[in-house]
Amino acid sequence: MAVQQERHKRAVPPLDGERLERLAVNYAGRYAVTRAKLKAYLARKLRERGWEGDGEPPVDSLVERFARLGYVDDAAFATARAQSLSRRGYGARRVETALKVAGIEEADGAAAREHAAAEAWNAALRFAERRRIGPYAEAYGERPEREKKLAAMLRAGHPLALARKIAAARPGEFPEADD
């Protein structure tokens, strides 16, 4: 039977204004974050460690100050996320979901949405190549197999018409892009 040793955790002091700001700087410096993610991180740390400063913790003002200083840039985060997802073959709907999860507001995500819409055809082809769908398949599959591949493209965020066009293509035959 294994012997379990008790771990002695070091007592972590509650947060004050300086410690809270230090945590925020370290987090924003280490990770690509949005306002919403930084706010959620600070709220979690406050729940874990408590607050010993005067009044309420200045989470909102700290997050806004970081945004003004450029430590947190929701628009740049959204654009980078949209480009990354498009390069990996994901469609506009999947990009939209990722932006919502990250807490990106409508105005900050506008350029990212435009990028995803402009790259829809190329992203769909990249996804089809990665998953060996349609023109990239080794053989033209039976209907159930084509439907599975169509479903995979839909889950990847591609519109039905585009996914259907690519999934129905025969191996080596590339369908024409609709502009």
Side-chain angles (χ1 to χ4, degrees), residues 51-63:
W51 175 251
E52 75 173 12
D54 296 332
E56 289 294 312
V59 172
D60 291 331
S61 63
L62 189 61
V63 169

Side-chain angles (χ1 to χ4, degrees), residues 9-178:
K9 290 189 177 183
R10 184 173 54 117
V12 183
L15 295 171
D16 59 7
E18 182 183 330
R19 289 185 193 115
L20 187 67
E21 187 169 348
R22 198 172 324 127
L23 274 176
V25 167
N26 288 337
Y27 188 69
R30 189 171 184 170
Y31 303 104
V33 296
T34 62
R35 288 180 182 128
K37 283 185 174 187
L38 180 60
K39 189 174 180 178
Y41 171 77
L42 295 175
R44 180 173 56 87
K45 288 298 180 182
L46 284 165
R47 276 192 313 273
E48 291 172 357
R49 294 176 57 178
W51 175 251
E52 75 173 12
D54 296 332
E56 289 294 312
V59 172
D60 291 331
S61 63
L62 189 61
V63 169
E64 290 307 314
R65 191 171 98 226
F66 275 36
R68 274 194 319 274
L69 292 172
Y71 299 160
V72 176
D73 187 351
D74 285 1
F77 179 93
T79 302
R81 179 60 53 98
Q83 290 171 347
S84 171
L85 289 171
S86 292
R87 277 192 307 271
R88 290 172 29 211
Y90 292 104
R93 212 174 60 249
R94 186 75 172 261
V95 169
E96 179 66 31
T97 302
L99 297 181
K100 282 183 183 177
V101 167
I104 302 293
E105 293 180 7
E106 192 71 30
D108 291 328
R113 288 180 192 88
E114 289 172 12
H115 173 79
E119 284 292 310
W121 179 257
N122 293 330
L125 285 178
R126 276 192 289 279
F127 186 81
E129 182 178 17
R130 207 174 83 216
R131 299 288 298 268
R132 298 181 188 261
I133 296 173
Y136 299 101
E138 291 182 15
Y140 191 69
E142 296 295 322
R143 184 175 178 159
E145 183 182 342
R146 288 193 317 268
E147 287 176 354
K148 283 183 181 180
K149 293 183 177 193
L150 173 67
M153 290 197 72
L154 292 174
R155 284 190 304 272
H158 298 290
L160 178 61
L162 176 61
R164 189 175 277 158
K165 183 182 248 188
I166 291 176
R170 295 195 173 276
E173 294 178 9
F174 289 86
E176 293 294 318
D178 294 334

